[in-house]
Amino acid sequence: GAVVSQHPSWVICKSGTSVKIECRSLDFQATTMFWYRQFPKQSLMLMATSNEGSKATYEQGVEKDKFLINHASLTLSTLTVTSAHPEDSSFYICSARVDGSGSSYNSPLHFGNGTRLTVT
Amino acid sequence: AQKITQTQPGMFVQEKEAVTLDCTYDTSDPSYGLFWYKQPSSGEMIFLIYQGSYDQQNATEGRYSLNFQKARKSANLVISASQLGDSAMYFCAMREVVRSGANSKLTFGKGITLSVRP
């Protein structure tokens, strides 16, 4: 159980175009999902917290107009990288906590398989 | 100050031996959770084990155990009987309670690369 599906797993796009990444919880509901970014051999950096039915909360230094997040249902969050540039090339990975799984601090996050974005 | 510190360089272990991956953390909150995740080269994050700040006993999950020393703020992962498939990056992470009721963030350390030698 607790499967998170992320699509696409990899994408190559040209500078200036936009790319949408989907994150779905397949067998559970997730009011909140988290989007992370990871550079090679580095840690995961939280970009934003996605909340169903409300605006996402962005971490300091993350441009909300560039990284658009939409959490339209309890099982789907999308991240759109707008007007992509080569410096946006990275590994993007989403995660979700199972609704009703207990106190927020003691339940694990379940991760998707990530999306490797390359902007040429 | 960093909340999660993983300072070991790349680690090597012989197959079938045990290995300890170090993690120290920093928080002033009495309620928090500590997690270990494994990230193989394919990229997915695999949840391994959890330790709560109020847990009296060290967590164990199969070949994984957590050496939790609260006073020293350390939560080292012990992998017993290493297998070739254990070669991966390992991340220690912490979630602190959020009194406002919002979902708390998971903060990751820099990770440790483990290589298992046949």
Side-chain angles (χ1 to χ4, degrees):
Chain A
V3 177
V4 175
S5 173
Q6 191 171 336
H7 179 81
S9 55
W10 62 269
V11 58
I12 302 173
C13 70
K14 293 186 177 181
S15 288
T17 61
S18 296
V19 174
K20 180 185 283 188
I21 302 170
E22 292 188 347
C23 180
R24 293 180 185 272
S25 56
L26 296 186
D27 52 359
F28 65 97
Q29 292 185 334
T31 301
T32 302
M33 294 184 178
F34 302 88
W35 286 95
Y36 288 85
R37 180 174 182 175
Q38 184 182 30
F39 291 105
K41 300 295 184 182
Q42 294 190 24
S43 186
L44 280 74
M45 300 302 297
L46 181 66
M47 297 175 65
T49 302
S50 168
N51 300 293
E52 187 269 336
S54 64
K55 291 183 178 180
T57 304
Y58 290 82
E59 295 300 299
Q60 193 173 8
V62 177
E63 299 176 57
K64 61 180 181 180
D65 294 331
K66 181 167 188 60
F67 299 100
L68 300 179
I69 291 173
N70 184 279
H71 197 142
S73 75
L74 289 173
T75 60
L76 174 64
S77 176
T78 60
L79 168 68
T80 301
V81 182
T82 63
S83 187
H85 289 111
E87 55 264 32
D88 298 325
S89 298
S90 189
F91 187 67
Y92 295 87
I93 190 164
C94 70
S95 66
R97 184 179 75 90
V98 179
D99 281 356
S101 59
S103 300
S104 64
Y105 73 90
N106 66 3
S107 54
L109 294 185
H110 302 279
F111 285 80
N113 286 348
T115 298
R116 197 162 303 279
L117 170 63
T118 302
V119 184
T120 61
Chain B
Q2 288 187 1
K3 287 199 175 275
I4 296 287
T5 303
Q6 294 179 266
T7 58
Q8 289 168 306
M11 293 286 289
F12 293 87
V13 64
Q14 204 67 31
E15 193 178 8
K16 299 181 183 178
E17 292 185 350
V19 64
T20 298
L21 306 181
D22 296 341
C23 172
T24 57
Y25 59 92
D26 182 32
T27 180
S28 58
D29 201 312
S31 303
Y32 52 89
L34 297 160
F35 303 82
W36 277 91
Y37 283 84
K38 171 185 177 181
Q39 187 180 41
S41 57
S42 52
E44 72 265 35
M45 294 290 285
I46 302 168
F47 166 67
L48 297 178
I49 195 167
Y50 160 79
Q51 181 82 46
S53 58
Y54 296 113
D55 292 344
Q56 295 296 313
Q57 293 186 329
N58 287 341
T60 61
E61 286 287 347
R63 294 187 298 112
Y64 305 107
S65 61
L66 210 151
N67 183 1
F68 181 47
Q69 298 188 40
K70 192 171 182 177
R72 299 175 65 176
K73 293 187 176 179
S74 73
N76 299 339
L77 176 70
V78 181
I79 305 175
S80 62
S82 297
Q83 302 172 355
L84 295 178
D86 293 335
S87 295
M89 276 201 81
Y90 289 80
F91 291 94
C92 179
M94 177 173 66
R95 294 184 84 181
E96 297 161 288
V97 71
V98 175
R99 305 195 187 284
S100 66
N103 275 279
S104 55
K105 309 170 196 177
L106 193 63
T107 303
F108 286 86
K110 292 184 177 181
I112 302 169
T113 300
L114 175 66
S115 299
V116 180
R117 291 171 166 154

